[in-house]
Amino acid sequence: MLKKVWIYFLLIVTSFLVFFPVLYAFMISFMSGPEILQGRFFPEAFKFDNYAKVFDRLPLLKYLVNSFIVSLSVMAGQLAVCSLAAYAFVFIPFKGRDFVFFLFISTMMIPWEATMIPNFFTIQKLDWLNTYQGMSLPFFALAFGTFLLRQHFKTIPKELQEASQIAGLGRFAFFWKVILPISKTSLVTLGAYGFLTTWNMYLWPLLITTNSSVRTVQIGLKQLQSQEMSTDWGVVMAGVIVVIIPTLLLLFIGQKQLQKGLSQGALK
């Protein structure tokens, strides 16, 4: 009993330490400039003036819509491309399959900064600057996502494929009607990963956008810090809270699915 109490105490303390920056940002979002300079932790009153200023100073609602469109597009693209690639690497025999897979996985060692300029020139040649497809398409082929789904697909009994062939199902029908329904957990994990990483992306949207028509929330937060010589941190933190709400909701709702999906392919 004492051991269990001690474990829960450590979990509560570490959880508080991890979540403290978000909690402090939430408190600052209700403070005025003088209150922040005084080093207070709790505001004198919970007023929503800073939140109103965020939407007055920036087209934040437009940025939020843009972020949702780009993040959902990348999520859908990664699920389609990675699941099909993982299916081919597991269920379709061809010469050099393992070599091609390890060559594909080796791209994870190439830093994103090394491919950014070639990707930019490609998007520029396609005349996709300031477009949703320009911000989302380069991220559809994800080596990590293919590896994650391949590890799960390898745990699926080969007898299912043989039974589907006897039942007259083609390869795509077997993939669509059998593989995907029993891989929901891994697909949810990959979808959440793709959504979160795209939502928090800053450099690529900044590089290929020149106006606010398709810019995302991360660029908007940076604009809040650079609009004036003296940054109004209460307004900035209000913007931060608005931006992180979707990601926190996604993590809280899908926490069990994420944990299960990341470990599912590790053990047979």
Side-chain angles (χ1 to χ4, degrees):
M1 182 64 182
L2 183 61
K3 183 179 179 180
K4 184 177 290 187
V5 172
W6 178 246
I7 291 174
Y8 276 104
F9 174 75
L10 290 178
L11 288 173
I12 292 172
V13 171
T14 53
S15 299
F16 176 77
L17 291 176
V18 170
F19 199 69
F20 179 77
V22 177
L23 180 62
Y24 190 44
F26 178 74
M27 293 300 176
I28 291 178
S29 68
F30 294 100
M31 296 183 190
S32 61
E35 288 181 278
I36 297 174
L37 293 177
Q38 292 172 11
R40 301 171 63 96
F41 183 78
F42 292 101
E44 292 182 356
F46 286 88
K47 298 180 180 179
F48 292 89
D49 296 344
N50 290 331
Y51 289 90
K53 290 178 182 177
V54 169
F55 287 93
D56 288 339
R57 296 182 184 181
L58 288 176
L60 189 59
L61 186 59
K62 177 64 175 175
Y63 289 167
L64 286 169
V65 172
N66 292 338
S67 288
F68 270 110
I69 292 175
V70 175
S71 299
L72 291 174
S73 299
V74 171
M75 182 182 71
Q78 288 182 355
L79 287 175
V81 173
C82 294
S83 60
L84 288 170
Y87 175 78
F89 284 129
V90 175
F91 293 101
I92 302 178
F94 57 89
K95 189 176 181 179
R97 182 176 66 178
D98 292 339
F99 173 77
V100 173
F101 172 72
F102 286 114
L103 184 65
F104 184 66
I105 291 299
S106 67
T107 60
M108 294 175 64
M109 295 185 292
I110 302 175
W112 161 245
E113 290 77 10
T115 61
M116 187 184 306
I117 300 304
N119 280 331
F120 174 79
F121 285 134
T122 302
I123 295 301
Q124 188 180 45
K125 290 293 184 181
L126 293 172
D127 196 24
W128 283 356
L129 298 179
N130 293 309
T131 61
Y132 293 127
Q133 62 266 29
M135 286 194 289
S136 58
L137 198 63
F139 304 97
F140 280 11
L142 183 67
F144 168 76
T146 303
F147 173 77
L148 177 69
L149 294 180
R150 176 181 178 269
Q151 293 303 105
H152 174 65
F153 289 175
K154 289 179 68 176
T155 65
I156 298 175
K158 297 292 184 181
E159 289 77 9
L160 281 177
Q161 186 180 24
E162 297 172 359
S164 68
Q165 291 173 348
I166 295 174
L169 292 179
R171 284 177 173 172
F172 185 78
F174 172 64
F175 166 75
W176 185 259
K177 295 182 179 180
V178 179
I179 298 299
L180 292 186
I182 62 178
S183 305
K184 290 181 180 179
T185 302
S186 295
L187 293 172
V188 169
T189 302
L190 178 59
Y193 175 82
F195 182 91
L196 292 174
T197 53
T198 308
W199 183 272
N200 294 319
M201 195 183 304
Y202 172 75
L203 189 55
W204 180 249
L206 180 66
L207 184 64
I208 70 165
T209 58
T210 57
N211 55 64
S212 60
S213 61
V214 293
R215 281 189 163 172
T216 56
V217 290
Q218 303 302 330
I219 300 176
L221 292 179
K222 186 61 179 178
Q223 289 176 345
L224 284 175
Q225 299 180 45
S226 58
Q227 280 186 345
E228 300 174 358
M229 294 298 292
S230 57
T231 302
D232 191 343
W233 287 108
V235 177
V236 173
M237 292 304 165
V240 169
I241 295 301
V242 172
V243 169
I244 67 174
I245 285 175
T247 59
L248 290 178
L249 289 176
L250 182 62
L251 287 174
F252 287 144
I253 294 173
Q255 183 179 10
K256 290 184 179 180
Q257 293 291 333
L258 288 173
Q259 292 174 348
K260 185 179 179 181
L262 288 172
S263 61
Q264 194 172 45
L267 299 173
K268 287 191 178 183

